[in-house]
Amino acid sequence: MNRRTLLRTAATTAVVTACGSPAATPGGTATKSPSPSPTPLPTGSKATVELANGGSFTFTLRPDKAPQTVARFVEKSKSGFYNDKIFHRVEDWVVQGGDPLGTGTGGEKVPSEYNDLSFKLGSVGIARGQDPAINNGSQWFVVKKDSTFLDKQYTNFGIVTSGIEVVNAIKIGDKIKTIKID
């Protein structure tokens, strides 16, 4: 790698790290997305999230609408990646977790997968930073009320089918015990 490429890569990494907060507003400058994986995708039709302090909720997965996102989520869930991760963001309209750092700043960069699913009560999405072409590779959220302002701004990959009352009771710092994929 030549010096110019190395400096450009370092600068891009610094900007994404600084601006990659999940609380960032939609917008930014579109850039070329990373290439999707050509390998077979892990699948599942539903995820059940069990919390360490008790309770669970289940959501359907939508690989037909966000195949790469669902594959990453399924793979991370099956590997135990999400075990003991906290919900670091809890607001009146959303709960968000899955950050390996627990601060809202961790996770790798992956391509966005926008679709026509609307962010209605219980929808499950993937966090992103300033650049709408790039999603976070591990942070995910559930909306606690209709949030259609997120439509086509964030990747929607599922919807809660049971346990929305558990989602509504999540507090900052609550831990994921495990996520089971069926």
Side-chain angles (χ1 to χ4, degrees), residues 2-179:
N2 67 36
R3 182 180 170 152
R4 181 174 295 178
T5 303
L6 180 63
L7 290 173
R8 186 177 299 132
T9 301
T12 301
T13 301
V15 168
V16 169
T17 300
C19 298
S21 169
T25 57
T29 305
T31 60
K32 185 175 179 183
S33 299
S35 300
S37 170
T39 57
L41 304 175
T43 59
S45 62
K46 70 178 183 174
T48 300
V49 180
E50 184 181 349
L51 302 178
N53 62 356
S56 65
F57 61 95
T58 300
F59 58 94
T60 58
L61 298 167
R62 294 297 305 267
D64 60 319
K65 297 292 186 173
Q68 296 289 330
T69 300
V70 168
R72 272 188 296 281
F73 183 83
V74 166
E75 184 177 305
K76 286 178 183 293
S77 297
K78 286 182 174 182
S79 75
F81 173 86
Y82 290 117
N83 298 357
D84 295 321
K85 299 293 185 285
I86 66 166
F87 286 94
H88 64 274
R89 180 180 183 191
V90 178
E91 298 179 23
D92 66 333
W93 66 279
V94 70
V95 298
Q96 183 171 315
D99 179 4
L101 302 178
T103 62
T105 61
E108 67 278 11
K109 298 181 292 182
V110 298
S112 297
E113 284 187 296
Y114 299 123
N115 55 55
D116 60 354
L117 297 175
S118 186
F119 278 93
K120 300 292 187 179
L121 169 68
S123 292
V124 183
I126 291 292
R128 70 167 178 81
Q130 292 288 330
D131 185 347
I134 307 297
N135 276 348
N136 187 286
S138 61
Q139 294 185 47
W140 56 279
F141 61 87
V142 179
V143 295
K144 300 192 298 185
K145 58 183 166 182
D146 289 353
S147 302
T148 57
F149 62 93
L150 300 175
D151 291 0
K152 298 181 182 171
Q153 301 291 319
Y154 289 80
T155 301
N156 185 329
F157 73 102
I159 191 154
V160 173
T161 54
S162 68
I164 194 68
E165 69 283 354
V166 174
V167 172
N168 289 329
I170 291 173
K171 307 249 183 297
I172 290 177
D174 283 354
K175 286 186 177 183
I176 298 167
K177 181 177 180 181
T178 189
I179 299 178

